Amino acid sequence: MLPAYPNLYLDTTMVVGGYFERQPDVDILRRHPDRILYGTDFPNIPYEWDRELRALRAMNLPAEDEAKILAGNALRLFGA
């Protein structure tokens, strides 16, 4: 959907950390690092608060892409 909808953003909440038995394609982070926001939904998650963060960092994304996902995209999107 990201290619079809230029104003669509996705977040990482409960996607990257391997919580669900059936996993989505997490390589979407590699293909669209400008449109992904780091999300935790903490404290309303059934696992450790940093599980998504550890999994995201374990992907060894380029530093620039990781920075975009962890903060840069949100700052840009929300006008900070």
Side-chain angles (χ1 to χ4, degrees):
M1 291 176 60
L2 287 172
Y5 299 95
N7 292 323
L8 177 66
Y9 285 77
L10 301 177
D11 76 42
T12 64
T13 304
M14 297 187 74
V15 175
V16 186
Y19 179 74
F20 296 109
E21 181 178 319
R22 191 169 159 202
Q23 283 298 113
D25 179 10
V26 295
D27 277 340
I28 195 167
L29 280 75
R30 296 183 195 287
R31 293 190 306 269
H32 301 281
D34 293 328
R35 310 268 295 289
I36 307 293
L37 305 169
Y38 173 66
T40 65
D41 281 11
F42 180 80
N44 300 316
I45 50 174
Y47 50 77
E48 306 85 25
W49 70 270
D50 64 342
R51 183 173 175 161
E52 293 284 319
L53 180 59
R54 288 183 281 124
L56 183 104
R57 289 195 166 143
M59 292 181 70
N60 295 315
L61 297 169
E64 180 180 310
D65 291 348
E66 184 178 293
K68 288 177 187 176
I69 293 169
L70 292 178
N73 293 337
L75 291 170
R76 181 175 37 84
L77 180 64
F78 298 114

